[in-house]
Amino acid sequence: MIDRLRNPWSDNRAERTLGAVSLLVGVCVIAMLVFVGIRAWPIFEHNGLGWLGPGGSLNTQIANMQATSVNPPASAYRLRAWPIIYGTLLTTGIAVVLGVVIAVLSSIFIVELAPERLRKVAIPVIRLLASVPSVIYGLIGVLVLVPFVGNHLVTASQKIEVQSTVELTGEGLLVVAVTLTVMITPIMIALICEALAAAPMSWREGAVALGLNPLRAMLAVTLRAIRPAIVAAAVLATARALGEAVMISMASGASFFTPNLSHGVPIFFYEPLRTLASTIIDFNEGIGAPALRSTLYAFAALLLFSALVLSVAGYLIKLPLRKYQVRA
């Protein structure tokens, strides 16, 4: 055993082993995609791409799927999933936009402006926050944020105004957006801090020598140089936000409702919703019904496709920025 540790593998053997592992991972990913695609196919077969749009009550459609037998009729596969697709886009978009702004500003402060002692404490804490299980954030959302919103922000007049359409309990878009932002921001801060720390100090010093103040030099030179890292951080955070299920299921109100701006901006943020991932969690016990099982796999296929689009988009966005890229 000691001899093996003293004599590691040759380069050729290590290369072949790593290549085999990479190939195995690739095969597993392809197999997963094929498996999900086959299970989701009945929804595409009966609805085409029309199931991505609006139409009818999603509550009724899901109930019809749950009520069918082992051999459901074609009508049981009718699906119009726009409410949860809209909810996914809404929560993810708000959280990522807020998260990117907070992450960039926080990273600048931590790396460039914070005292050394604070920096040594802040970075490990941020990495710890990035690894906190989502169910913990969900508990905080349900036990702290939802009662606060329901009791102190939502007024009686607002509840009466939309009571014929939806019930405002505090669970909804606002709590989900805030909690999701808190969840994904530490990931972005950790990545951006690493990139800022890796940027050569000489670049900023050269800008200062040309007459810029240190903060302006950092914004004009260092931040410009780490744009690929910011894009990568945003893509990673978006992927996590799209796939988040447990926290959203706990704090969103679990309703197939589409938040409506015509009700007014405050009410819009208080209204409940569902997302693709949270719907999979909420209805996983009904997977014995063939139509519902195919529907849940279709939602999973859409999430996988979204992840692919994110990866490709992130790569294409970073291509023109390669000349500015900083490598640690």
Side-chain angles (χ1 to χ4, degrees):
M1 183 66 181
I2 296 176
D3 291 338
R4 290 184 179 179
L5 293 175
R6 290 177 177 175
N7 299 304
W9 290 349
S10 64
D11 291 344
N12 289 335
R13 185 179 179 185
E15 183 178 350
R16 289 195 299 269
T17 302
L18 293 175
V21 171
S22 300
L23 180 62
L24 178 61
V25 172
V27 170
C28 290
V29 171
I30 293 173
M32 178 182 65
L33 293 174
V34 171
F35 175 78
V36 172
I38 291 173
R39 292 300 184 96
W41 176 248
I43 289 296
F44 291 93
E45 183 180 14
H46 290 88
N47 298 278
L49 294 179
W51 70 275
L52 301 174
S57 169
L58 191 52
N59 271 318
T60 303
Q61 294 162 10
I62 295 293
N64 291 339
M65 292 176 184
Q66 291 176 308
T68 55
S69 61
V70 177
N71 298 309
S75 60
Y77 286 94
R78 174 175 169 77
L79 178 67
R80 294 296 183 268
W82 175 246
I84 57 176
I85 295 174
Y86 176 71
T88 303
L89 295 174
L90 197 59
T91 54
T92 301
I94 293 174
V96 170
V97 170
L98 292 176
V100 168
V101 174
I102 295 171
V104 171
L105 296 177
S106 300
S107 300
I108 291 172
F109 172 77
I110 292 170
V111 175
E112 301 290 341
L113 304 175
E116 183 66 22
R117 290 183 180 179
L118 179 59
R119 187 182 307 121
K120 288 181 178 179
V121 173
I123 293 178
V125 169
I126 288 168
R127 290 173 179 170
L128 177 63
L129 289 174
S131 62
V132 172
S134 59
V135 68
I136 304 299
Y137 288 108
L139 280 174
I140 294 173
V142 169
L143 299 178
V144 179
L145 296 181
V146 168
F148 176 78
V149 172
N151 297 329
H152 298 91
L153 297 185
V154 182
T155 64
S157 61
Q158 289 172 335
K159 292 179 181 180
I160 295 172
E161 184 178 346
V162 295
Q163 65 180 357
S164 61
T165 305
V166 65
E167 183 181 1
L168 303 180
T169 63
E171 296 177 326
L173 176 59
L174 179 61
V175 173
V176 170
V178 170
T179 310
L180 198 55
T181 301
V182 174
M183 286 180 61
I184 66 175
T185 300
I187 301 173
M188 291 189 282
I189 293 176
L191 292 175
I192 296 172
C193 281
E194 291 288 341
L196 282 173
M201 185 65 69
S202 58
W203 293 1
R204 192 180 65 175
E205 291 174 348
V208 172
L210 292 174
L212 294 179
N213 64 58
L215 183 58
R216 184 95 179 262
M218 186 272 300
L219 293 175
V221 178
T222 309
L223 198 62
R224 183 182 180 88
I226 67 161
R227 284 185 297 175
I230 296 174
V231 172
V235 168
L236 183 61
T238 304
R240 181 173 184 185
L242 282 173
E244 179 52 44
V246 176
M247 182 279 294
I248 295 178
S249 178
M250 296 171 69
S252 65
S255 172
F256 291 122
F257 184 78
T258 305
N260 195 339
L261 271 174
S262 65
H263 294 161
V265 173
I267 296 178
F268 171 79
F269 282 100
Y270 302 147
E271 290 175 335
L273 74 165
R274 262 198 179 106
T275 64
L276 288 165
S278 68
T279 303
I280 294 174
I281 288 289
D282 292 339
F283 291 93
N284 70 90
E285 293 182 357
I287 204 168
L292 182 57
R293 179 171 63 245
S294 179
T295 296
L296 297 184
Y297 276 109
F299 295 163
L302 185 56
L303 289 173
L304 289 172
F305 178 74
S306 301
L308 174 62
V309 170
L310 276 175
S311 298
V312 174
Y315 174 77
L316 294 177
I317 291 172
K318 288 193 294 183
L319 280 179
L321 304 177
R322 280 185 172 180
K323 60 182 177 180
Y324 303 110
Q325 189 164 3
V326 174
R327 297 185 182 275

